[in-house]
Amino acid sequence: MRKQLPLLLFVFALFVATIVFLIFRPPRLGLDLRGGSVITLQAKPNPSQGIPTITPSILSEVRGVVERRLNGLGVAEIVVQTSGDDRIVVQLPGVNSPAQAEQVLGKTAQLEFRPQKRGTEAEFKTRLQERQLLSLELSDPKLTPEKKAELEAKLEKNKQAILELFEPIGLRGDLLVNAQATNDGTQWGVSLQFNKEGGELFAQASAQVAGTGRSLGAFLDGELVTAPVVDAKYAETGITGGRAFISGSFTVESATNLAIQLRSGALPVPLEVIENRSVGATLGADSIRQSIWAGLGGIVLVIVFMVVYYRLLGVIASGALAVYAVLAIGLFTALGGVLTLPGIAGFILSLGTAVDANILIFERMKEELRAGKTLYRSVEAGFDRAWSSILDGNLTTLIACAALFFLGVGLVKGFAVTLSIGVVLSMFTAITLTRALLLVVINIPQCRQPHYFGVERIATRPQATT
């Protein structure tokens, strides 16, 4: 009995810690439970821009542009995923006006170049320092939600202040043909290429700031991305020809990142909305309520069956089942999972898997008791004989979950994740916790009654074999 105490104390501490964790950090609800919109977009080839087919890299670039634009909606927990060879699925929790999201997705340019206004040099420097400090404070993981919201508001105000220091001249992202990380032989930088109209505007903008110490700002969604200065030799004509090179203290990585940011101002290929559906908040609330009742009802029925049919063994299994349920939800939440209806279905299905393991063990135990073995030997033999069946069954389920996760999308993946977590934890609770509880209980004389285990008698010593 003493050997089981450390394990039981560990599980009890883990059980209490998980409950406290769930109180302060409840599971996040998915789109089908909170309500919101789902938009499926299809990327179309753009032969005029040299993109005859949609490649994985093009689809990834489009996904980044879409994600950046949707962030401007101010909606929390937006999910943007690629699906198949040319589709992007967007989930917008809490957005009941998908038309707004469609409008944002339909815009073709968020990138803009602006020359800095005269007499703003000192304020620009101050604003940049303020932005650095705010960004540093926001990176603190210990921030409270209130403090984080306060800093984000200040950062947004700073962003607008910086934007107003630059003069709009109509040099937008759709006039930028390309931006690439380039090494000119001495240093890394970013080369820009504009079309004819963009080249003329860029020459005009660069002439305004050349040799003055003021900069030419590139803004993405109104946020300053980079602000290079222009050499004095371009003061008369500006940088002509539609091509420019941004130099500075770039590394390969930082130059590549800046080029990606600049390119993301315009979609490389057109997008078509092929599905736009919404889930009402009322339906979400109903789904939650019905799922909770279904889960509780299922658990109660399982516990009643286990206690009536397996008696003391059923009571022990029910306790292990309660621990299993709390640990499964806690682990799923700690891993950052989003609870959806298929996820709840996977969780309820895993409850059946957990009970199934206990039934296999108990039936083997009863067979050993009827064969005349002692309680201790029956417990050990029951677990040993049932282990291979439990392992085979759970491995088969895990293989199916792996297939659903890697081949499925969205909600199907959520189902696979919750079921996998449940299957793994059910093995832990069945093999370790149930076993430890049984070994403790059979050492209590009052609990060693035959009818508690569903048999007519219990041998006090091993029967001799012939």
Side-chain angles (χ1 to χ4, degrees), residues 429-447:
T429 54
I431 301 301
T432 59
L433 180 59
T434 304
R435 181 174 178 275
L437 287 171
L438 271 174
L439 292 175
V440 170
V441 167
I442 63 175
N443 278 286
I444 302 174
Q446 292 82 357
C447 296

Side-chain angles (χ1 to χ4, degrees), residues 149-326:
E150 179 188 345
L151 291 173
E152 287 177 343
K154 288 182 178 178
L155 195 60
E156 180 63 25
K157 188 177 179 182
N158 172 275
K159 169 183 161 182
Q160 291 300 323
I162 291 178
L163 182 64
E164 291 173 2
L165 300 178
F166 290 78
E167 179 184 359
I169 59 169
L171 185 52
R172 306 176 306 275
D174 56 335
L175 305 180
L176 180 67
V177 176
N178 198 8
Q180 285 188 327
T182 308
N183 191 319
D184 66 353
T186 59
Q187 59 181 336
W188 280 96
V190 178
S191 59
L192 306 177
Q193 181 183 354
F194 293 91
N195 61 17
K196 183 179 179 183
E197 180 185 356
E200 293 172 354
L201 288 171
F202 190 76
Q204 174 190 335
S206 55
Q208 287 185 30
V209 297
T212 64
R214 303 195 304 277
S215 56
L216 183 60
F219 293 84
L220 199 57
D221 296 331
E223 183 174 1
L224 183 65
V225 176
T226 183
V229 294
V230 182
D231 196 280
K233 65 182 180 180
Y234 299 107
E236 291 187 5
T237 61
I239 301 176
T240 57
R243 293 179 181 271
F245 181 75
I246 303 176
S247 60
S249 303
F250 286 105
T251 62
V252 180
E253 185 178 5
S254 62
T256 302
N257 289 338
L258 178 58
I260 291 173
Q261 282 184 300
L262 295 175
R263 286 202 304 268
S264 67
L267 287 167
V269 294
L271 292 177
E272 180 183 345
V273 178
I274 59 175
E275 184 184 15
N276 188 343
R277 59 186 171 88
S278 59
V279 179
T282 302
L283 177 60
D286 289 343
S287 299
I288 295 173
R289 185 165 51 253
Q290 291 172 5
S291 299
I292 291 174
W293 281 114
L296 290 176
I299 291 173
V300 169
L301 288 174
V302 167
I303 289 175
V304 169
F305 168 76
M306 293 294 288
V307 172
V308 170
Y309 193 79
Y310 290 102
R311 305 177 190 182
L312 180 60
L313 296 175
V315 174
I316 293 173
S318 300
L321 194 63
V323 173
Y324 155 77
V326 171

Side-chain angles (χ1 to χ4, degrees), residues 37-255:
S37 302
V38 179
I39 300 175
T40 303
L41 305 161
Q42 185 174 32
K44 299 289 186 180
N46 192 358
S48 62
Q49 294 293 326
I51 306 176
T53 58
I54 304 299
T55 63
S57 61
I58 292 294
L59 194 62
S60 177
E61 187 174 337
V62 172
R63 175 185 170 277
V65 177
V66 170
E67 193 167 19
R68 181 182 296 278
R69 292 180 178 180
L70 288 173
N71 286 336
L73 290 174
V75 179
E77 300 176 7
I78 290 176
V79 177
V80 182
Q81 297 174 311
T82 56
S83 174
D85 297 329
D86 59 355
R87 296 186 179 183
I88 293 176
V89 179
V90 179
Q91 297 182 13
L92 301 165
V95 173
N96 295 316
S97 174
Q100 183 188 5
E102 277 194 49
Q103 185 180 9
V104 172
L105 290 172
K107 293 181 180 177
T108 57
Q110 296 291 315
L111 176 67
E112 186 179 14
F113 290 89
R114 294 185 176 195
Q116 188 179 346
K117 297 177 181 175
R118 295 176 185 273
T120 60
E121 293 85 345
E123 185 179 356
F124 180 52
K125 187 176 180 181
T126 303
R127 293 292 184 185
L128 284 182
Q129 291 173 345
E130 182 186 30
R131 187 175 76 164
Q132 288 179 344
L133 288 174
L134 289 171
S135 299
L136 185 62
E137 290 184 59
L138 269 172
S139 64
D140 185 355
K142 297 179 181 177
L143 281 179
T144 62
E146 294 78 13
K147 183 64 177 176
K148 185 178 180 182
E150 179 188 345
L151 291 173
E152 287 177 343
K154 288 182 178 178
L155 195 60
E156 180 63 25
K157 188 177 179 182
N158 172 275
K159 169 183 161 182
Q160 291 300 323
I162 291 178
L163 182 64
E164 291 173 2
L165 300 178
F166 290 78
E167 179 184 359
I169 59 169
L171 185 52
R172 306 176 306 275
D174 56 335
L175 305 180
L176 180 67
V177 176
N178 198 8
Q180 285 188 327
T182 308
N183 191 319
D184 66 353
T186 59
Q187 59 181 336
W188 280 96
V190 178
S191 59
L192 306 177
Q193 181 183 354
F194 293 91
N195 61 17
K196 183 179 179 183
E197 180 185 356
E200 293 172 354
L201 288 171
F202 190 76
Q204 174 190 335
S206 55
Q208 287 185 30
V209 297
T212 64
R214 303 195 304 277
S215 56
L216 183 60
F219 293 84
L220 199 57
D221 296 331
E223 183 174 1
L224 183 65
V225 176
T226 183
V229 294
V230 182
D231 196 280
K233 65 182 180 180
Y234 299 107
E236 291 187 5
T237 61
I239 301 176
T240 57
R243 293 179 181 271
F245 181 75
I246 303 176
S247 60
S249 303
F250 286 105
T251 62
V252 180
E253 185 178 5
S254 62

